[in-house]
């Protein structure tokens, strides 16, 4: 019995990660500072009562980058399965383009070729991309 | 207690459990996408549109039908029907099957109706499911920020 409890205690921090969806929006030539927002919720045995936690993500982006344009938003939805407990995480990362930002802080980006980052640049390691 | 009475008791217990647990439908999230946010164009006010279609877990429905039937023969038939129906449901999918594939087509029209300026930014597209016993609500939600030009902004 003690051995089982010890095994459970050792395994409890371990989790299986699942990547459910990934999306990317257009990345402009000039990119400002990076902003990142995330929201998560927990549930026992994957019995979630609602999905309202995702509203926090856009709110978080707007809080970090108020009255500005946020572009190149990379949205990732993943879940982590612990022993009987599931954690769902939505993460969004984007570029905050403040109008009063000095030009030298803007990255030349993709060399003026296009506003869109192709799959090899944007989706490396993610395995999935949803073009807009 | 006879076999028929036992089956009836089981069915009543199942129905009571479904009624009690029904309002607490299990929420599933399949996909979320956030579009670019233009915060310099004017005042931003939130708008949201949600459409839902009833999905049916055909396999579960067939099994339930088998449990509810009195004779063993009809129970077998319920499983067989479920097996045959599952042959038509191969491939990737999110949630349960629905009988109208165009239920989400009205989203854009509704969105524009809620935002008379027609300028919407920060769109969050969500595909989710609210699962109940046998049936489910297959939901597509679109929330955004309606841009209302403020004074001094073109």
């Amino acid at each position: 019995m003690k051995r089982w409890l010890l095994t459970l205690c050792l395994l409890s921090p371990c989790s299986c990660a699942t990547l459910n969806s990934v999306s990317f929006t257009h990345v402009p030539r000039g990119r400002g500072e990076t902003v990142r927002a995330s929201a998560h919720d927990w549930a026992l045995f994957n019995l979630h009562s609602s999905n309202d936690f995702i509203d926090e993500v856009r709110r978080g982006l707007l809080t970090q980058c108020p009255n500005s344009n946020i572009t190149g938003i990379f949205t990732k939805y993943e879940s982590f399965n612990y022993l009987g407990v599931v954690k769902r995480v939505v993460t969004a990362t984007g570029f905050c383009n403040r109008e009063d930002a000095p030009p030298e802080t803007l990255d030349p980006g993709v060399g003026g070729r296009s506003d869109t980052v192709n799959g090899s640049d944007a989706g490396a390691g993610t395995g999935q991309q949803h073009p807009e | 207690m006879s076999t028929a009475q036992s089956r009836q008791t089981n069915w009543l217990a199942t129905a009571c459990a479904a009624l009690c647990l029904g309002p607490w439908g299990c929420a599933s999230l399949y996909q979320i996408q956030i579009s670019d946010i233009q915060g310099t164009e004017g005042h931003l006010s939130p708008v949201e549109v949600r459409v839902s279609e009833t999905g049916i877990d055909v396999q579960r429905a067939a099994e339930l039908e088998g449990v509810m039937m009195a004779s063993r023969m009809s129970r077998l038939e319920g499983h067989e029907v479920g097996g045959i129906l599952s042959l038509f449901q191969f491939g990737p999918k999110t949630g349960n099957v629905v009988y109208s594939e165009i239920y989400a087509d009205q989203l854009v029209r509704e969105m524009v109706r809620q935002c008379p300026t027609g300028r919407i930014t920060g769109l969050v597209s969500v595909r989710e499911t609210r699962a109940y016993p046998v049936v489910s609500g297959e939901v597509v939600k679109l929330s955004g920020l309606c841009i209302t030009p403020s004074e001094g902004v073109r």
Side-chain angles (χ1 to χ4, degrees), chain A residues 21 23 25-26 46-51 54 57-58 62 67-73 75 77 88 90 99 132, chain B residues 25-40 44 122 124 126 128-130 141 143-145:
Chain A
S21 78
S23 72
T25 66
H26 296 290
N46 209 14
L47 297 172
H48 302 274
S49 58
S50 80
N51 296 322
I54 58 177
V57 180
R58 186 179 62 195
L62 285 168
N67 303 320
S68 304
N69 295 334
I70 307 172
T71 53
I73 296 179
T75 312
Y77 166 42
R88 300 184 298 173
V90 175
E99 287 194 333
E132 276 202 331
Chain B
C26 193
S28 300
L29 178 65
Y30 296 112
Q31 201 258 341
I32 175 172
Q33 181 172 3
I34 303 176
S35 77
D36 290 343
I37 301 173
Q38 295 178 341
T40 59
L44 303 177
V124 179
V126 176
E128 60 185 349
T129 287
R130 180 71 67 159
K141 190 175 80 174
S143 66
L145 301 168

